[in-house]
Amino acid sequence: MDLKHLTAEELLRLAVPHEDVNPLLAGAPRPGSETWRQVESYAGQLVAGTGRPGSEITLPEEATAEHGPYFYAYVYLAALPYTRAYHREHGVPDEVSWLTLTDLGRHLAVHRRKFGTAGLHAPWWHSLHHRGLLYSLGRLQFERAVMSKTTAEGVRAAGLPYGEGDPVLSVHIPDFMGPMSPEACDASYAWAREFFPAHFPDERHVLAVCYSWLLDRQLAEYLPAESNIVAFQRRFRELYHREDNGLIGFIYGRDLPPEELPRRTALERAVADHLAAGRTWGYAAGFHEI
């Protein structure tokens, strides 16, 4: 395992922001250094866990304090040739492979927007892409996952014959990808219904699940019935709702005190007015048959 494949062209193909290209190339850890040993160790765990829905990889906490802001990026870049090989093994088209892996660049941009410094936002998230579990199919991303106990209980209560550990597709909505119009989402679902049976025929995905602030039904109190968010919510049957004002970071790009929230769009006004009224937001889990 090494970083000999690392070039400016490859970084740009991964949508790495231009201001991060030179520092990433110049700061690549030297073979034999402690940073490289750590990179190699965790990249090795990624490779060993490739293709196993439901498995988890634990990255070291606060590793950037010791190894620099790009430590997590180097872990995924070291694993990149193995990820690409796995995609080829399963016949995943280059178009889908590279689009999926551009989340690396997207989350470098999210980190800079949120904190004003170099770094990789939510580094654990990329373990899904680099282990061949998550794929970008148009506007939406779909993750090969297994049903959790809590989700299974809700699905059973709804009268469907599925249980804990059954294959599901977990739906994700990436940032910086344009409007999530019903038409764009329909196209992504149509693609997913063809993609997964073709490339992972041993897994039968009959349900889609989603865990997101976008499914908080309170949003429908403020947004027009024809809004993209409300249309997306209507796809899902709600399983449960949890209070959590973490949606502020998603909507505004960074965490802000409720009294400082801008009100530039209908969604921002909804969030700010709701909090000003002493109420809380949250995230919800939902499912539907594919």
Side-chain angles (χ1 to χ4, degrees):
M1 190 171 290
D2 56 46
L3 288 170
K4 292 178 182 176
H5 58 89
L6 193 58
T7 64
E9 290 75 17
E10 182 174 75
L11 293 176
L12 291 173
R13 197 166 195 181
L14 293 167
V16 169
H18 287 216
E19 61 263 51
D20 292 307
V21 171
N22 285 348
L24 271 166
L25 292 173
R30 298 186 310 278
S33 67
E34 178 57 27
T35 297
W36 173 249
R37 282 192 288 271
Q38 292 296 317
V39 165
E40 195 171 36
S41 170
Y42 288 98
Q45 289 187 39
L46 288 172
V47 173
T50 294
R52 291 166 44 202
S55 62
E56 295 183 1
I57 298 293
T58 303
L59 290 174
E61 294 184 9
E62 303 303 326
T64 54
E66 181 179 357
H67 300 296
Y70 294 116
F71 173 79
Y72 298 113
Y74 291 126
V75 169
Y76 293 114
L77 289 167
L80 180 62
Y82 300 88
T83 307
R84 292 277 293 139
Y86 180 81
H87 286 176
R88 288 191 296 271
E89 218 175 282
H90 287 268
V92 175
D94 265 5
E95 168 198 5
V96 174
S97 178
W98 284 112
L99 182 60
T100 297
L101 297 170
T102 59
D103 251 15
L104 185 76
R106 180 184 295 114
H107 277 227
L108 287 165
V110 169
H111 190 284
R112 195 177 294 276
R113 179 183 68 178
K114 192 168 184 177
F115 301 107
T117 59
L120 184 64
H121 182 64
W124 59 270
W125 166 245
H126 301 271
S127 71
L128 300 174
H129 311 59
H130 286 264
R131 290 186 292 137
L133 301 181
L134 183 145
Y135 295 90
S136 292
L137 303 176
R139 181 62 187 86
L140 303 175
Q141 296 172 327
F142 297 87
E143 174 196 347
R144 297 162 54 208
V146 296
M147 198 179 304
S148 69
K149 180 180 179 180
T150 303
T151 298
E153 289 171 353
V155 168
R156 285 279 189 181
L160 297 176
Y162 310 113
E164 182 180 3
D166 283 347
V168 291
L169 291 179
S170 186
V171 184
H172 303 281
I173 309 94
D175 204 350
F176 304 137
M177 286 292 286
M180 49 180 290
S181 67
E183 296 77 15
C185 293
D186 286 344
S188 288
Y189 273 101
W191 196 347
R193 283 191 286 269
E194 293 180 1
F195 178 86
F196 289 98
H199 302 291
F200 303 97
D202 294 338
E203 298 169 4
R204 183 170 176 263
H205 301 102
V206 294
L207 293 182
V209 298
C210 186
Y211 309 88
S212 176
W213 62 269
L214 285 163
L215 296 189
D216 187 333
R217 303 293 182 181
Q218 297 176 107
L219 288 165
E221 298 176 23
Y222 300 91
L223 300 176
E226 66 276 9
S227 76
N228 291 338
I229 290 177
V230 175
F232 186 76
Q233 289 183 349
R234 285 198 291 263
R235 295 177 186 269
F236 295 89
R237 298 167 68 174
E238 186 172 303
L239 288 165
Y240 58 81
H241 178 273
R242 302 277 191 269
E243 288 190 0
D244 179 0
N245 283 332
L247 88 172
I248 290 175
F250 284 101
I251 294 172
Y252 296 96
R254 57 197 178 97
D255 295 322
L256 292 167
E259 64 274 10
E260 294 181 17
L261 296 178
R263 290 174 164 81
R264 298 163 297 195
T265 66
L267 179 58
E268 290 183 351
R269 287 192 294 275
V271 171
D273 291 347
H274 188 83
L275 293 173
R279 301 172 70 185
T280 58
W281 290 106
Y283 72 92
F287 76 96
H288 62 76
E289 294 184 272
I290 298 174

